[in-house]
Amino acid sequence: IGNYSIKGMINYKEAFIFSKSFPQTIKSNNARLTFKNNEIVLNRLELQSEKSDCVLTGIISTSKDQQNKNQINGSLHLISNNMNYNELYNTYLGGSSNSSDNNEEINMLIKNYNNMFNNKNTSKELKSDAKQEKHPIYIPKNINLDIQTSVNNMDYNDINLQNANGNIIIKNEEVFRWS
């Protein structure tokens, strides 16, 4: 966003988000985003992926750091009714979705997207936990985010958490959680 003069607003209902590094379908039911030069205001961004849902509000902006490199800064509020950490993390590790979605149109879009960027077919089945190599999630050093969270139900490993509230700070390639 930094080098261009961008101003405007986007409103939409029902969009699908695809990513090479996170091949689980993300559905955005409703969004209202405002663009002002070097910042994006998330007036409301509703997301759903499998058993997880959230609503994001807040501001994300770009700036230059002391070495004149691009920096991404943000202050977000994340509200979720259900967050299934296990499912999201395993999709990230396994490189494919665990979706049981039988919608042929969406499945065809995913297959076409994967073929276009990976030049190969991808299975919709996750690798078994025994075959998955666990590794840390890379966090770029140019990201500084403060995310206030409010999660009603969270599945985290073998623990079901209720009313998980607090702040997550992402800064200097590290993640911190403050209650």
Side-chain angles (χ1 to χ4, degrees), residues 47-174:
L47 301 171
Q48 182 177 356
S49 185
E50 299 294 326
K51 298 175 188 170
S52 300
D53 63 73
C54 75
V55 174
L56 285 169
T57 58
I59 297 175
I60 299 173
S61 63
T62 61
S63 62
K64 299 286 185 182
D65 66 9
Q66 295 172 342
Q67 289 80 33
N68 204 30
K69 293 183 180 179
N70 286 330
Q71 189 73 30
I72 299 171
N73 305 298
S75 178
L76 301 173
H77 189 187
L78 180 146
I79 300 171
S80 175
N81 206 24
N82 293 299
M83 185 72 61
N84 190 319
Y85 171 85
N86 304 328
E87 181 178 75
L88 298 172
Y89 186 67
N90 285 334
T91 297
Y92 173 78
L93 282 181
S96 61
S97 174
N98 198 23
S99 175
S100 59
D101 189 351
N102 291 323
N103 185 324
E104 286 185 35
E105 183 178 355
I106 293 173
N107 290 337
M108 183 59 73
L109 287 171
I110 293 169
K111 182 179 178 184
N112 289 341
Y113 177 85
N114 286 332
N115 288 339
M116 183 170 50
F117 288 98
N118 295 334
N119 293 323
K120 61 182 177 181
N121 290 327
T122 57
S123 168
K124 293 194 60 110
E125 296 177 15
L126 282 174
K127 299 172 190 172
S128 71
D129 286 337
K131 294 179 184 176
Q132 286 183 354
E133 181 181 319
K134 297 206 176 203
H135 55 82
I137 297 173
Y138 172 72
I139 300 170
K141 61 180 161 183
N142 69 332
I143 294 181
N144 291 320
L145 293 176
D146 180 353
I147 306 169
Q148 183 182 15
T149 63
S150 179
V151 181
N152 288 338
N153 300 295
M154 176 183 259
D155 289 328
Y156 181 82
N157 293 327
D158 292 330
I159 302 170
N160 187 321
L161 303 170
Q162 304 291 315
N163 299 317
N165 302 311
N167 277 46
I168 298 171
I169 307 294
I170 301 172
K171 187 174 186 172
N172 299 325
E173 298 179 279
E174 296 181 313

Side-chain angles (χ1 to χ4, degrees), residues 21-33:
S21 61
F22 189 80
Q24 185 166 292
T25 304
I26 300 170
K27 181 179 179 183
S28 180
N29 295 318
N30 190 15
R32 182 173 180 200
L33 311 171

